[in-house]
Amino acid sequence: MMSERSNRELELIIQRLNSQLDSKNEQIAELNAFIQSATENTQELIRNFRAFCVKVLESELAYGDITSRDLETMSLNDLLGRARKMLRQNQEKARSIYDTFKERLTQKNQMIQGLTDQVSQLKFMIDNAEKMFNSPFEEPQDLKRTAAYMLDTDTPLEALRPAMAVTTVADENERVVDLSGSGEKSEVTLVSDGKMYVQNLESITEQLKEIHWQTFEIIVDSGVSEVSVARRLVAEKLFDIGESISNEKASRLIKQLVTLMLFNQIKVSTGMRWFTVLTLTDIGMKLYIEKFRKSPVETEYQKIVREHENAEHGYTIKDVVQILKDTGRYRSVSMSRRGNAIQMPDGRSCIPDIVCCLPNGIEYYEVECGNHHQSDFNDKCNKLKSVTQNLFFVAPNRETVEKKLKPQIEQWIRECGRALLEMSGVVVYLTSISDLSGQRWTYVYNMKDERPIYTATPPPKKKGGDEQKEE
């Protein structure tokens, strides 16, 4: 019995082991099939990887640095390292090519912009040439004066002495208008040692002799404002006992009219000279209308203040005009805002301070006192470079050149891009009125270098004890 049970148990054990063995064999078969599939996939990946590396390394194959057999026998690690190195080199080369094409594209765009500016400049020159050449600006005879000669500009107003003529110095009882604290064109303050008061007109007319009335009429009818011009005009046109009067007597007559409050006196500095201008007072206007039964003409001072930012800016422009005329280079020189206005394609206007007509071209000058914000200055320069290649800037003195205009011009160049301005053919000329009178430019920006060309000499030093006369 015992033997039969043991055999039975043994058979059961053998059956279980066979069943487990069959199960394991099935698992092994499945695993072998997976390994076979993975091996085939891996071999396919290796073949593709080698083909990729061959593609990456084809430049080395082309130059004979390695052969196809080398690639086939090379280990995967060596092949991968070599491919990574070549890929990195190719990426660097691609970046270099991209940067090169980007730079060339930028240059082409700059060239296009430069050519566009040149076409715009030529268009404006053609559009305005006929008007400029056929209708030259003629300055009124009474405003013409002799050639300007510089003494010194880089000095305070009190120390300035002009090179032209002689001007009346106000006596203690004369009324002088102070413009130093006035920001508006029409606002001035009447100042004197005493307080402002209402003058009895009869007390004034009683002191006016016929020669005073004649002097008064000559000055008001002519519209002249500068005292030196008024004095010369009175000396030419007024006769006393059949003879023309002297400049000294004309000066005394004008001083008496100022003392009687028919005229105000205003001191003006242009950087090259300081002088006095006459303006008609309310009393003078009332007496003129009552005496001569007509309205006074618009004076030179009124025209200048109306057309320009202020009297000093306007008279500085006038002095620059005279210097440019004295060079003899130009057919005509205009400071008329209406005549100088240029209509831009976008509807805006460009109005240069001075327009000079050469025998074969036009030059535009800007007289700058350094009062513009950078954005306004940039806008002005951008307009000018659309109509001309040469931008001329004149300042009242060397200090304004160095501390205000030079930094503004260099900031504009940085914002525009020096390369673009060079493509447009733009050259910027900057000078003070003193250097201009010496026919030289303080700085020239030719856009070929970041630094401008410096052509001026240092300001002359004043000699102790030297006295110069006011105009």
Side-chain angles (χ1 to χ4, degrees):
M1 265 321 265
M2 235 7 214
S3 171
E4 291 178 0
R5 181 184 292 177
S6 297
N7 291 335
R8 182 64 181 165
E9 289 176 351
L10 185 59
E11 289 177 357
L12 292 174
I13 291 172
I14 290 172
Q15 287 179 355
R16 274 199 309 271
L17 289 175
N18 287 334
S19 175
Q20 290 177 359
L21 184 60
D22 291 340
S23 176
K24 292 295 182 181
N25 287 333
E26 289 178 1
Q27 291 178 0
I28 289 172
E30 291 177 358
L31 183 60
N32 286 336
F34 173 78
I35 291 173
Q36 180 66 28
S37 175
T39 300
E40 291 176 355
N41 291 337
T42 301
Q43 289 176 347
E44 181 67 20
L45 287 173
I46 291 173
R47 283 193 299 270
N48 292 337
F49 174 71
R50 285 186 179 276
F52 171 75
C53 290
V54 168
K55 186 70 175 175
V56 172
L57 298 172
E58 63 182 1
S59 62
E60 290 195 44
L61 288 170
Y63 289 105
D65 295 337
I66 57 175
T67 64
S68 299
R69 185 172 182 79
D70 292 334
L71 294 178
E72 291 176 0
T73 59
M74 192 178 293
S75 68
L76 291 180
N77 284 335
D78 292 343
L79 190 62
L80 180 60
R82 198 170 191 118
R84 281 178 174 172
K85 180 181 178 181
M86 182 59 64
L87 183 61
R88 192 180 305 112
Q89 292 175 354
N90 289 341
Q91 288 175 339
E92 292 175 354
K93 186 181 297 183
R95 170 58 64 180
S96 176
I97 293 172
Y98 170 79
D99 292 339
T100 300
F101 275 100
K102 181 180 178 181
E103 182 179 356
R104 289 180 180 178
L105 182 60
T106 302
Q107 291 175 352
K108 292 293 183 183
N109 288 335
Q110 290 177 343
M111 183 178 296
I112 291 171
Q113 183 61 48
L115 292 173
T116 301
D117 286 339
Q118 292 182 31
V119 170
S120 176
Q121 293 161 6
L122 290 173
K123 181 180 181 299
F124 281 108
M125 184 175 293
I126 292 170
D127 290 345
N128 291 276
E130 183 177 358
K131 179 181 67 174
M132 292 297 181
F133 292 145
N134 294 341
S135 302
F137 172 77
E138 290 294 337
E139 190 177 39
Q141 187 66 31
D142 55 289
L143 300 184
K144 292 183 178 178
R145 53 187 170 85
T146 57
Y149 296 94
M150 288 301 306
L151 292 182
D152 189 5
T153 61
D154 300 303
T155 50
L157 177 63
E158 293 76 17
L160 279 174
R161 296 295 184 270
M164 290 185 265
V166 178
T167 251
T168 304
V169 179
D171 291 334
E172 61 181 23
N173 64 334
E174 294 179 338
R175 302 298 190 268
V176 178
V177 175
D178 182 10
L179 284 180
S180 59
S182 175
E184 299 295 330
K185 295 180 180 180
S186 59
E187 294 182 2
V188 294
T189 304
L190 189 65
V191 294
S192 66
D193 292 340
K195 295 181 178 180
M196 188 169 65
Y197 58 92
V198 177
Q199 179 73 44
N200 185 343
L201 294 183
E202 290 186 2
S203 65
I204 294 177
T205 55
E206 289 175 357
Q207 301 179 60
L208 290 172
K209 301 177 182 178
E210 182 60 27
I211 194 170
H212 293 116
W213 285 114
Q214 292 175 355
T215 302
F216 187 44
E217 184 179 19
I218 289 172
I219 295 173
V220 176
D221 286 352
S222 68
V224 300
S225 297
E226 293 188 38
V227 169
S228 59
V229 180
R231 179 180 60 247
R232 186 169 63 248
L233 186 65
V234 170
E236 290 174 357
K237 292 190 175 184
L238 189 61
F239 291 87
D240 187 21
I241 316 178
E243 295 182 358
S244 59
I245 65 173
S246 63
N247 285 337
E248 290 74 15
K249 186 169 183 177
S251 180
R252 288 195 300 271
L253 290 170
I254 294 173
K255 289 175 65 175
Q256 290 165 3
L257 294 177
V258 172
T259 301
L260 294 172
M261 299 183 67
L262 275 65
F263 290 113
N264 282 327
Q265 284 186 321
I266 301 175
K267 284 186 177 181
V268 177
S269 171
T270 65
M272 67 175 292
R273 63 185 182 123
W274 69 270
F275 55 94
T276 308
V277 297
L278 298 172
T279 61
L280 197 62
T281 65
D282 290 341
I283 294 174
M285 182 176 294
K286 182 176 179 62
L287 289 177
Y288 180 85
I289 293 173
E290 288 183 353
K291 175 69 174 179
F292 302 105
R293 302 297 179 185
K294 57 184 177 181
S295 297
V297 301
E298 185 179 29
T299 65
E300 177 197 44
Y301 174 83
Q302 290 172 323
K303 292 176 184 176
I304 283 179
V305 171
R306 172 169 51 78
E307 288 207 345
H308 303 284
E309 296 173 357
N310 52 61
E312 291 196 351
H313 181 237
Y315 275 103
T316 303
I317 294 174
K318 179 186 174 184
D319 283 356
V320 172
V321 165
Q322 188 62 42
I323 292 173
L324 295 174
K325 285 184 176 181
D326 293 343
T327 64
R329 295 180 59 237
Y330 302 106
R331 293 180 54 179
S332 65
V333 181
S334 169
M335 62 179 285
S336 168
R337 284 181 62 83
R338 179 178 297 181
N340 293 354
I342 301 172
Q343 195 69 25
M344 308 291 290
D346 57 5
R348 298 182 302 164
S349 294
C350 176
I351 310 178
D353 289 329
I354 303 170
V355 175
C356 303
C357 289
L358 292 159
N360 57 351
I362 302 175
E363 292 182 346
Y364 303 92
Y365 284 76
E366 285 293 331
V367 177
E368 289 292 326
C369 299
N371 298 325
H372 288 296
H373 293 295
Q374 186 66 48
S375 58
D376 296 330
F377 184 81
N378 289 355
D379 185 58
K380 174 180 287 190
C381 292
N382 290 333
K383 288 180 180 179
L384 285 171
K385 82 176 180 69
S386 296
V387 301
T388 182
Q389 291 183 326
N390 298 321
L391 279 60
F392 299 100
F393 291 96
V394 182
N397 49 58
R398 186 72 63 79
E399 182 179 5
T400 303
V401 167
E402 298 290 345
K403 294 184 177 180
K404 295 183 178 180
L405 290 185
K406 184 173 182 286
Q408 284 191 321
I409 289 173
E410 292 174 353
Q411 178 65 26
W412 172 70
I413 292 174
R414 283 192 294 270
E415 293 185 16
C416 278
R418 183 168 55 85
L420 172 60
L421 294 175
E422 185 179 6
M423 289 284 185
S424 301
V426 172
V427 179
V428 180
Y429 299 84
L430 172 62
T431 191
S432 65
I433 196 170
S434 59
D435 284 334
L436 180 67
S437 68
Q439 299 188 19
R440 60 180 177 266
W441 294 99
T442 311
Y443 293 102
V444 178
Y445 295 83
N446 60 6
M447 307 305 162
K448 298 185 183 300
D449 190 77
E450 292 184 0
R451 293 186 177 182
I453 301 170
Y454 182 76
T455 62
T457 55
K461 295 181 179 180
K462 296 181 64 178
K463 297 180 180 180
D466 286 356
E467 291 295 332
Q468 299 175 345
K469 293 184 179 181
E470 174 195 7
E471 181 180 336

